[in-house]
Amino acid sequence: MQTVRTIADLRAQASAWRQGGGRVGLVPTMGGLHEGHLSLVRLAREHADHVIATLFVNPAQFAPNEDFDAYPRDEAADGDAFSNAGAELLFAPDIAEVYPPGHVTQVSVPGLSEVLDGAFRPHFFGGVATIAAKLLIQAMADVAVFGEKDYQQLQVIKRMARDLDIPTEILGAPTSREADGLAMSSRNRYLTEDERAAAPTIFAVLQEITDGVRGGVGADDLCAIGRARLLDVGFRDVDYVSVVDAETLQPATDASRPARALAAAWLGKARLIDNLPV
Ligand code: PAF
């Protein structure tokens, strides 16, 4: 697999593939790869002839007190894993290539970005929407794949691409889980052994909520019980346990529309998020 570090080289390869009649797929990541990322590459490969993976730990989506410095970085291992999963090109730019001196433009997606994670990480979705817009415009791929594990991020990116008329189709990929249900995440490696044992409770709580809602129990009661259960098993803080409209992410008031149950909670150093369709 070839690695390129400049936007010019990325564009040259992507447009050569397109001119040859090939469909191009894009899988943006920050590295710290696990099976979930590789499933994104495989899904992209099903929808495209050539897959570009990107590796860029985006400083704009971390607040100063967050884990930007600690975020796992291993380009050689990630490159091998991408290549084995079917990616043909790795775009791994330096920070100055992405944000040259004087870079000031920000993309924001109001509304969708302010609820749930946005209420706890106010800087986050602006940083994500900006880098996602840049990567989509840089690669001009036919299709780009993002994980449903970051469900709110996926909705923000879909809306941003639609509103900015970016012609890339945005696909969501199902969440990859460990055998005990824990959603795969680069941040799971921050968990101690005891925390790792408690971590799947976030998935169990979401399952209880989705089963309960389907059985006619009120979502608010189920979310309150879920929050208490997370604290009981050792989560130190619960940012939210919510059932919302699957598209607008506003409170789910219309039972005829699809809804989504989402949770975010702190276990030791790790902030875990997960979600399930209701
Ligand atoms: O989900 C991620 O890894 C990142 O938020 C993304 C979409 C690659 C943007 O930096």
Side-chain angles (χ1 to χ4, degrees):
M1 186 180 57
Q2 196 197 344
T3 300
V4 293
R5 302 200 185 273
T6 66
I7 297 161
D9 286 346
L10 167 69
R11 287 206 163 120
Q13 181 59 81
S15 64
W17 279 332
R18 273 195 308 273
Q19 276 160 21
R23 268 175 70 80
V24 176
L26 182 74
V27 179
T29 82
M30 299 203 300
L33 295 195
H34 50 69
E35 175 51 33
H37 294 107
L38 304 181
S39 76
L40 307 184
V41 174
R42 287 193 291 267
L43 184 64
R45 191 67 189 81
E46 284 173 28
H47 291 263
D49 304 298
H50 306 283
V51 174
I52 302 166
T54 80
L55 184 53
F56 180 65
V57 186
N58 174 34
Q61 67 191 76
F62 291 80
N65 61 338
E66 292 185 342
D67 56 343
F68 176 71
D69 290 330
Y71 205 83
R73 289 170 175 84
D74 187 344
E75 184 181 316
D78 288 349
D80 286 348
F82 275 137
S83 174
N84 291 335
E88 277 178 73
L89 185 71
L90 178 64
F91 178 49
D94 290 338
I95 290 182
E97 177 72 6
V98 178
Y99 302 116
H103 183 288
V104 291
T105 302
Q106 300 287 322
V107 178
S108 68
V109 184
L112 282 179
S113 296
E114 285 147 18
V115 294
L116 301 169
D117 266 8
F120 293 89
R121 306 181 70 198
H123 58 283
F124 178 68
F125 289 113
V128 165
T130 302
I131 189 68
K134 286 166 70 75
L135 291 168
L136 291 172
I137 292 166
Q138 288 160 6
M140 279 297 166
D142 297 281
V143 59
V145 182
F146 297 85
E148 280 183 356
K149 207 272 268 162
D150 298 288
Y151 185 79
Q152 186 175 6
Q153 166 175 282
L154 176 62
Q155 304 315 309
V156 166
I157 291 171
K158 279 186 173 165
R159 185 72 66 88
M160 173 278 292
R162 191 204 70 175
D163 289 355
L164 296 182
D165 308 312
I166 294 175
T168 304
E169 180 189 0
I170 309 297
L171 275 186
T175 301
S176 298
R177 298 185 180 278
E178 305 288 354
D180 57 11
L182 176 64
M184 290 188 188
S185 164
S186 311
R187 290 183 166 112
N188 290 350
R189 63 189 78 187
Y190 301 158
L191 299 170
T192 64
E193 207 176 310
D194 285 352
E195 289 161 359
R196 174 63 189 82
T201 307
I202 196 163
F203 173 61
V205 157
L206 289 169
Q207 277 184 311
E208 283 159 15
I209 292 172
T210 54
D211 290 349
V213 170
R214 284 189 203 111
V217 186
D220 289 350
D221 291 343
L222 291 162
C223 291
I225 293 166
R227 169 182 281 270
R229 185 159 167 217
L230 290 173
L231 294 170
D232 241 26
V233 300
F235 281 75
R236 66 176 164 84
D237 243 322
V238 179
D239 284 353
Y240 58 83
V241 179
S242 297
V243 176
V244 296
D245 183 287
E247 199 184 324
T248 65
L249 307 184
Q250 296 302 313
T253 46
D254 180 350
S256 68
R257 287 181 50 80
R260 199 94 186 173
L262 301 97
W266 286 91
L267 193 52
K269 286 201 211 81
R271 183 176 185 276
L272 303 184
I273 61 171
D274 200 354
N275 67 87
L276 284 177
V278 175

